[in-house]
Amino acid sequence: MRFAMGAALAIVLLGPAGGSPQRSSEPFVPIGVWYGGGTSRAPMVSRNPAAEREAWRRDLAAIKALGFNSIRSWIDWESGEPERGQYHVEALEQLLFLAADAGLRVIVQIYTDPAPEWIGTRYPDSRFVSGEGARIGSQASPGYCLDHAGVRADMVSFIGAVSAAAARHQSFYAIDVGSEPHVVNGDLLNRFVQFCYCRNTQARFREWLKGRPDSALDRKTFVAAKLEADLKLMADASAPRGARPVSSHSGTAVVMTSGLGHADDWWMSRSVDHYGTSIYPKPQSAATAWAPVRLAAALDAIRSAARDKGWWIGELQAGPGAAAPVTGADLRLWGWASISRGARAISYSAWYPTQTGDGLIAPDGTITDRARIAGEFAGIVSRNAGLFGPLRPHRSRVAILDNRLSSFAVDNTVTQETAVRDSTLLIYRALFEQNIQADFIHPDEVSAGAAARYDVVYLGYPVMLQPNVADALKAYVRGGGTLISAARPAWNNEPGATNRGIPGAGLDELFAAREGSRPGDPAVVISRHGNGRAILIDTFPSAAFEADPGRMRATGELLQRLAAMPGVTPEIRIDGGPGVVEARFLESSDAILLIAINHGDTAQRVTFTFGPDVPEAIWQNMETGAAVNFVQDAAGPKYAHTFAPRDVLVLVRGKRLR
């Protein structure tokens, strides 16, 4: 670990500055709220924006005064082009004009699912068709099939017209062309449709299929490839690339639960400048509220998928929730947790409450504590964009394979998806409890040799491994890596697979595993190959995830010890707060940032021990401005701190801040 040291640090926590945003070379980190003008909720827009002009002005002034530097507005295709070639962008342009006056920048969200009725009239063969042959009429969403050439061309024209109109305004900062990309949300019977069977999609599928066997796996892979290509089409339609940041964001972040037939975040990130996700950690039911490990894993998963381009949070839950109410402490914690994973934009959803109750302010317009606390967080990041823009998380030494094929069961049952999720989260939990940062790695990256960047690679539920991935993993082990499998590798039974019926795609030899367990077989087998080792845990530990706490704890300790064999240790050792307190460094050429978080609902007293090259003096608390000194110890600098429940500590050193 090497730190770039700068001059002594001085922080002046200033109030939000006024005035219109100026274009400059200094980084801009959007921390804002969803606001489309008045109480309109996405994707709806005001029908009479001129009459609401002064109310919008007051709302924008309040947003700016709290500390936010941006808003995320929207426009939908149905209201934006009610007649072909007649574009109605009055509400959006009024908002862009008023935002400039307020000193706010605007991310424009384009919704193309709500397609105008004239599309269906002009292109009667553009409706979605279910597997049963039912033609699905437009319901605002899902709209019409993008595999129809006419629909695609008209959609491209609409996106281009909106982008051109927005570009006339100084406040226009970026455009999001894909909110939760999907094929189709659902039909009239509220059934999920993954694949359209219209003649246009079938023709596109046949073209894509050339050289491939026609299997259920190929149909699901086609959907992911199609969504990537569709997103690129929309991104390219928005403007010449580089003129404005172009983004998109997936649905509520999950880890290894969607399987095939959905967007592949790694692939999607290639089509835009910044890919991201939505985060709603506290649903209406307390029973489904996210545990700390799920939140942390979801953030690390989207960070990994975005690679080094940085990622954006398209929607961050703003409250208030029901059985699991959202607090200001939640918004502060979620914000800093996202920054700790390298997020470079956050949009809270929303300013006014939505139908599900999310919203920063009360229905009567009263500013809530949630709004004030979120605004304070936004102000710190906004005023110090020169610090936060270049910061990057430190390199991970451990990776977990995100193998989408594992989520695909031949019988397409939920059971296998659950097993995949549980095995992945069990591994992540073991590392999280030791404060060891982990990446998720895509099979494409493994095939390209990227596993060599890591000391340890975990396989959570290694079924359906592709031969090229298995071969790359063998090379990784021979080259000195440590490969740990949390279950016996299985095979790819898809028609045409070159390893069909061969256990583990050849990994059985790597792990010295026999097909089928026998009484007396060891629970853990360690095999040396070349300069590395392959470790097989043959007890299927994922079955213990959250179902058997004792077994889960014992399995986690085993996984931790196995990770330590090649020398993987926490960059920051934490004594106290097991499983709820974490700490991470971010670094640029000019600054070091430490973000430590107590995810727990009780106070935690902890001691951090850092590496010997971490400077012990002149750190400052970014939220209070107080100076902080670490205590030098033989093992390295130490710092003891007491966290309040759901609390955050943010320390910085090495850059003069405004």
Side-chain angles (χ1 to χ4, degrees), residues 192-211:
F192 192 81
V193 179
Q194 291 185 351
F195 189 93
C196 179
Y197 288 85
C198 73
R199 64 181 181 86
N200 303 296
T201 298
Q202 292 196 59
R204 186 173 176 184
F205 175 57
R206 285 192 295 269
E207 180 64 27
W208 177 87
L209 195 62
K210 288 179 178 178

Side-chain angles (χ1 to χ4, degrees), residues 523-547:
V524 178
V525 178
I526 302 176
S527 306
R528 299 296 305 226
H529 297 273
N531 296 320
R533 57 174 70 87
I535 303 174
L536 172 65
I537 307 172
D538 201 19
T539 57
F540 200 65
S542 64
F545 184 75
E546 293 185 344

Side-chain angles (χ1 to χ4, degrees), residues 73-84:
S73 187
W74 57 84
I75 184 169
D76 70 285
W77 192 6
E78 183 177 28
S79 61
E81 192 182 2
E83 297 180 36
R84 189 168 188 258

Side-chain angles (χ1 to χ4, degrees), residues 67 80 138 179 243 255 270 313 403 492 552 585 595 630 638:
S138 177
S179 175
V255 180
R270 299 184 299 206
I313 291 188
N403 182 29
N492 183 350
M552 182 174 68
F585 281 121
I595 299 179
F630 298 162
K638 290 189 173 184

Side-chain angles (χ1 to χ4, degrees), residues 414-459:
V414 177
T415 303
Q416 183 152 319
E417 288 192 0
T418 301
V420 172
R421 180 201 65 201
D422 287 354
S423 62
T424 303
L425 287 176
L426 180 66
I427 294 167
Y428 187 90
R429 177 189 289 274
L431 299 169
F432 181 77
E433 290 179 348
Q434 290 290 303
N435 198 46
I436 295 175
Q437 177 176 300
D439 290 351
F440 292 87
I441 187 170
H442 192 277
D444 291 352
E445 296 174 310
V446 173
S447 298
R453 298 197 299 256
Y454 303 97
D455 297 316
V456 177
V457 173
Y458 282 94
L459 308 180

